[in-house]
Amino acid sequence: MDYLFGYIPLIIALHIFTKHSLRKLKNLPPSPLLNLPIFGHLHLLEKPLYRSLAKISDSYGPILLLQFGSRRVLVVSSPSSAEECLHKNDIIFANRPNLIAGKHIGNDYTTVVWSPYGDHWRNLRKISSIELLSTHRLEMLQSVRTDEIKDMIKTLHRYSDARQTVDMKTAFYDMMMNVMMRMIAGKKYYGENVEDIKMAKRFREIVHDTPRIVGATRIQDFLPVLRWLGAGGAEKRLVMLQKKRDMFMQELVEQCKKGMVSTAAGEVGRKDNTMIEVLLKLQEKEPEYYTDRIIRNLVMARGTNTSAGTMEWALSLLLNNPEVLKKAQTEIDNHIGNERIINESDIANLPY
């Protein structure tokens, strides 16, 4: 038996040499030499992932090919290369891989985030850009964003008076979640003045559980053997999570339906300005396409993490570059003054 183990390094070396030779023959992008059987280049990854990939890119160039278990991954790390992929060859790179999260969280790859490029995806994108996120629609909902920004500023002011430390990442995230959910369903679930405490608690639990449970299934996307070895508990939790998400969003849809009926009957109701209400109006015209499932799928697509993360990074960079912060403050003082907060209409006069 011992002599068999002696062949293992030889087998690994042969595997690496074969992979390397095939890559050159196929004219594929550069790739780290140590491509292990089964695991590929997973052994090179460390947290945080973006720094790990940047380190590898520094050694192999702005475009490189990695093998994450059973999947090949193209890493593009320069602006010009990204433009080549996402602008000039956007249709080629339009699809997402069929990951476990897309199967369950993406309702079998039917949401705008997970749907493959085609008629269905184009229609979802058209609805999103014209009906939900058009300039006119965003202008109608400007008061929502203004309200939430003012609430956050008041909260920060109280913390400042009390000389308490503020976690800006959490502050930005809570604000963005409230903006998004008020645009979607007319409800806020974070901070003060939350109307439905029970619904808010359920929503926050779902939001908290989603990245944790989705993240637990990621390794199975690259090492499917783990699913066969009985590590399917994470996927079962993903299925249960999606049931909770669907149930919660369906309740919001039903509440909006009741509100629209009350308004039509002459009762005092909110204006028809939420995303769900817009989609329900379309459902009245084309019920065969705008099903409740389609509506749930459309309003579940959010950008809260990216928006909050962008603001956090911007604030961090400003604080670490005081001369830039001073220049921005001077421009605001000259054009806006200090008697009011900035409005979205002011942005055109604030080029810096």
Side-chain angles (χ1 to χ4, degrees):
M1 196 68 176
D2 290 340
Y3 76 91
L4 288 176
F5 284 105
Y7 284 107
I8 291 178
L10 180 61
I11 293 170
I12 293 175
L14 183 62
H15 169 81
I16 292 171
F17 175 77
T18 304
K19 284 277 188 180
H20 184 68
S21 300
L22 287 173
R23 182 184 59 77
K24 286 202 166 187
L25 285 172
K26 294 179 179 179
N27 195 29
L28 295 174
S31 182
L33 185 62
L34 194 55
N35 184 354
L36 299 177
I38 301 176
F39 296 97
H41 296 113
L42 286 172
H43 63 95
L44 298 175
L45 301 183
E46 299 174 355
K47 290 183 178 181
L49 182 61
Y50 67 91
R51 285 185 182 170
S52 184
L53 292 176
K55 184 178 178 181
I56 301 172
S57 296
D58 288 341
S59 301
Y60 294 92
I63 301 178
L64 68 146
L65 188 66
L66 298 178
Q67 187 76 34
F68 288 176
S70 63
R71 294 178 182 271
R72 292 197 300 183
V73 176
L74 185 70
V75 179
V76 179
S77 56
S78 77
S80 59
S81 300
E83 184 181 12
E84 185 78 23
C85 293
L86 301 177
H87 180 65
K88 296 179 181 178
N89 296 288
D90 55 335
I91 294 178
I92 296 173
F93 291 97
N95 290 331
R96 287 197 173 196
N98 289 340
L99 305 181
I100 297 172
K103 179 181 179 182
H104 300 296
I105 299 296
N107 273 323
D108 202 20
Y109 314 106
T110 59
T111 65
V112 69
V113 173
W114 291 101
S115 177
Y117 181 78
D119 291 340
H120 177 63
W121 179 83
R122 281 193 294 269
N123 198 42
L124 293 178
R125 185 174 181 273
K126 180 180 176 182
I127 297 166
S128 299
S129 59
I130 295 177
E131 301 291 349
L132 302 181
L133 299 172
S134 66
T135 302
H136 176 66
R137 175 62 52 187
L138 292 176
E139 286 177 354
M140 287 180 63
L141 295 167
Q142 181 179 336
S143 62
V144 170
R145 298 188 293 278
T146 302
D147 286 348
E148 292 303 324
I149 290 169
K150 286 181 178 178
D151 284 349
M152 186 184 74
I153 291 173
K154 290 176 183 176
T155 301
L156 295 179
H157 189 65
R158 285 200 301 271
Y159 274 99
S160 176
D161 287 345
R163 297 186 178 279
Q164 290 181 280
T165 302
V166 180
D167 180 357
M168 289 306 301
K169 182 176 183 178
T170 300
F172 284 141
Y173 184 79
D174 290 357
M175 180 191 72
M176 285 308 305
M177 289 302 297
N178 277 339
V179 168
M180 189 60 65
M181 290 309 297
R182 285 183 65 185
M183 289 171 66
I184 288 171
K187 298 174 182 292
K188 63 183 295 177
Y189 294 129
Y190 288 82
E192 301 173 353
N193 303 318
V194 174
E195 295 179 9
D196 193 330
I197 303 297
K198 288 184 178 179
M199 285 283 283
K201 183 180 179 182
R202 284 174 58 199
F203 179 75
R204 291 196 294 264
E205 286 175 355
I206 290 170
V207 170
H208 177 267
D209 289 344
T210 297
R212 178 176 58 83
I213 295 175
V214 171
T217 64
R218 284 177 185 152
I219 190 64
Q220 297 178 28
D221 288 316
F222 303 106
L223 298 174
V225 66
L226 294 178
R227 298 174 74 182
W228 306 332
L229 294 176
E235 188 171 358
K236 290 179 181 177
R237 289 192 290 274
L238 195 62
V239 173
M240 292 302 297
L241 171 66
Q242 183 55 21
K243 286 182 178 178
K244 290 181 181 179
R245 285 161 54 97
D246 267 341
M247 189 179 299
F248 182 87
M249 295 309 299
Q250 186 60 40
E251 286 183 31
L252 291 182
V253 171
E254 295 300 331
Q255 288 175 8
C256 285
K257 285 181 180 179
K258 291 179 181 177
M260 291 170 69
V261 170
S262 298
T263 303
E267 297 179 21
V268 177
R270 205 169 14 81
K271 291 183 179 180
D272 178 15
N273 61 357
T274 69
M275 291 183 178
I276 292 179
E277 288 169 339
V278 170
L279 293 168
L280 287 173
K281 289 287 187 182
L282 293 173
Q283 187 183 68
E284 293 175 359
K285 299 175 183 177
E286 297 181 62
E288 66 283 350
Y289 183 79
Y290 292 97
T291 62
D292 285 358
R293 182 185 183 187
I294 288 290
I295 293 175
R296 294 196 307 268
N297 287 349
L298 281 165
V299 297
M300 276 184 185
R302 304 190 313 269
T304 45
N305 278 325
T306 48
S307 300
T310 299
M311 289 187 284
E312 181 192 7
W313 270 104
L315 183 61
S316 173
L317 291 168
L318 285 170
L319 293 174
N320 284 292
N321 295 275
E323 71 286 353
V324 174
L325 177 59
K326 183 63 178 177
K327 188 174 179 180
Q329 286 177 322
T330 300
E331 184 180 70
I332 292 172
D333 290 341
N334 290 339
H335 290 279
I336 308 299
N338 53 18
E339 298 298 322
R340 64 177 178 86
I341 68 170
I342 299 172
N343 294 322
E344 292 179 13
S345 57
D346 294 321
I347 293 174
N349 299 319
L350 301 171
Y352 186 66

